[in-house]
Amino acid sequence: MLLWHGGLITSFHLLGLAERLAGAGFQVWAIDRRGRGLSGGEPSFGVGEAVEDVAAAVALTGARRVFGLSAGAVPVLGWALVAGSECAVAVYEPPLGAALTWLGEFEHHLGRGERAAALVAVVRGTEDAAWARWVPGVLLRPLMAAALREEAPAGVGEQLESMGEDAHMVRSAESLLVKASGIRGRVLLLGGARSPVYLTRALDVLEGVVPGVSRVELAGVGHLAATNDGSPGRVAESLVGFFDSGAG
């Protein structure tokens, strides 16, 4: 099984999930996406190149089961569209159709070297941390600055710049909300009951488009449930149940 991480994180943040899947008998590959973590190159700006990266990782590993989280789920869906009926994919809340209203503010602050303010724009705009909406900027920026100082691999500071590329990649893939009707492999849609509404809406659309799709909503968790600090055991349980139920 191949794990494809989301924005602002690396494969390190999916190790808890990988360990649980390995314990269930799967051979698991968790690879840093292009331009992130230990992988070289520049982050993909368009979905086409991002899909090619998934295809290359599948060819390298031989995996036919692929899990994608958040922005990483977008090229996984794109790969499923061209991979044929033998593939099986599970995607956790791909942000397709997201307004991305935070992107302009993010790029403005990043261009001025104001990295903490750029991270504030991301955290508030993506709504991953609901509490951030209620914290004044004068208090939130020092918190974000501290987060950016945390060293890799747990720290996310080195991945900040790639959030802009992720947003542009997601925007370029919006047509997947329609084209996903052409997927012939098996698809599991995963989401958290506490996730932002716009992510649930994307799953609603995909559920109505993808043929024979399965869907699971996890109670009491949000967008980052699959990460080490979330509830990786619960996500792993859903993945094992899906991929063990007949995937190639």
Side-chain angles (χ1 to χ4, degrees):
M1 188 189 308
L2 174 66
L3 307 184
W4 213 243
H5 66 81
L8 203 60
I9 61 174
T10 67
S11 61
F12 170 84
H13 298 89
L14 296 182
L15 287 183
L17 177 62
E19 290 170 356
R20 287 163 173 82
L21 292 169
F26 289 94
Q27 182 181 32
V28 183
W29 295 76
I31 299 177
D32 290 332
R33 291 162 53 209
R34 179 190 296 267
R36 299 162 177 85
L38 299 178
S39 290
E42 295 295 326
S44 303
F45 204 81
V47 70
E49 186 178 46
V51 169
E52 291 174 1
D53 286 348
V54 175
V58 167
L60 172 69
T61 62
R64 299 301 290 177
R65 303 169 175 93
V66 184
F67 168 74
L69 170 63
S70 190
V74 173
V76 168
L77 275 177
W79 172 76
L81 187 59
V82 298
S85 60
E86 297 302 314
C87 73
V89 303
V91 293
Y92 198 107
E93 297 179 341
L96 291 166
L100 301 173
T101 54
W102 54 269
L103 181 57
E105 181 182 357
F106 168 81
E107 292 180 331
H108 169 76
H109 287 301
L110 198 61
R112 293 167 58 94
E114 300 165 349
R115 301 181 81 246
L119 184 54
V120 169
V122 171
V123 171
R124 283 180 170 169
T126 59
E127 302 178 38
D128 285 348
W131 56 268
R133 289 178 293 175
W134 312 110
V135 179
V138 67
L139 299 177
L140 191 55
R141 281 190 292 274
L143 291 175
M144 297 299 102
L148 290 170
R149 288 194 295 270
E150 186 177 359
E151 294 184 359
V156 299
E158 294 180 6
Q159 317 310 320
L160 180 63
E161 284 76 7
S162 67
M163 282 299 295
E165 283 84 357
D166 264 349
H168 287 287
M169 184 270 291
V170 168
R171 181 173 284 168
S172 75
E174 192 166 341
S175 63
L176 274 175
L177 288 171
V178 175
K179 291 180 179 178
S181 62
I183 294 176
R184 294 295 173 257
R186 300 175 64 241
V187 179
L188 171 65
L189 303 176
L190 281 166
R194 292 186 177 178
S195 294
V197 172
Y198 72 92
L199 294 171
T200 302
R201 287 175 180 162
L203 293 179
D204 291 342
V205 174
L206 289 169
E207 186 177 21
V209 169
V210 179
V213 70
S214 301
R215 183 172 178 179
V216 173
E217 182 176 87
L218 301 176
V221 301
H223 186 52
L224 300 178
T227 64
N228 298 341
D229 294 330
S231 300
R234 296 182 62 192
V235 176
E237 182 178 354
S238 294
L239 294 179
V240 171
F242 174 70
F243 287 127
D244 267 352
S245 64

